[in-house]
Amino acid sequence: MDQYGEGLFKIVFVNEDGFYIDISKEELKKYRVVKQNIEPNTEMKYTFEKDDDGEEYDSLVDSQNIEEIELYVTQVKNNQNK
């Protein structure tokens, strides 16, 4: 999961080799993104919940246009593996 503004969305890593990716910081350094299902710089749009007076809450998201981003990754080859 990741957060942008007040919204949360799921990040799904898709490895071209089909192997599981450990999402620890050290493991992610071994991969680079080659494609994603959402175009870069796509605007995130939110609808916020409203109180009894019809005023929107600042942090209670009712809906959002992006729930999940798929990142297609490939393993970075280092000079020793060539």
Side-chain angles (χ1 to χ4, degrees):
M1 297 295 283
D2 202 358
Q3 181 173 358
Y4 280 85
E6 298 301 327
L8 290 173
F9 61 90
K10 182 178 179 181
I11 298 177
V12 177
F13 293 97
V14 181
N15 184 350
E16 66 179 10
D17 298 329
F19 294 108
Y20 171 78
I21 299 174
D22 175 6
I23 61 170
S24 67
K25 187 174 181 179
E26 287 304 311
E27 188 65 21
L28 285 178
K29 289 180 182 180
K30 298 177 185 177
Y31 292 90
R32 66 183 176 92
V33 175
V34 294
K35 185 172 84 170
Q36 63 188 54
N37 69 329
I38 304 292
E39 288 294 318
N41 299 317
T42 298
E43 182 179 5
M44 302 275 296
K45 297 178 183 178
Y46 304 108
T47 302
F48 292 90
E49 292 195 25
K50 296 180 180 180
D51 63 17
D52 292 337
D53 296 326
E55 296 293 321
E56 290 184 337
Y57 290 107
D58 291 337
S59 60
L60 295 177
V61 175
D62 183 45
S63 66
Q64 59 191 59
N65 64 329
I66 298 173
E67 299 285 335
E68 176 178 287
I69 295 179
E70 294 175 357
L71 298 178
Y72 296 83
V73 299
T74 186
Q75 194 165 11
V76 176
K77 308 289 188 225
N78 63 33
N79 291 334
Q80 297 173 352
N81 291 342
K82 289 184 177 181

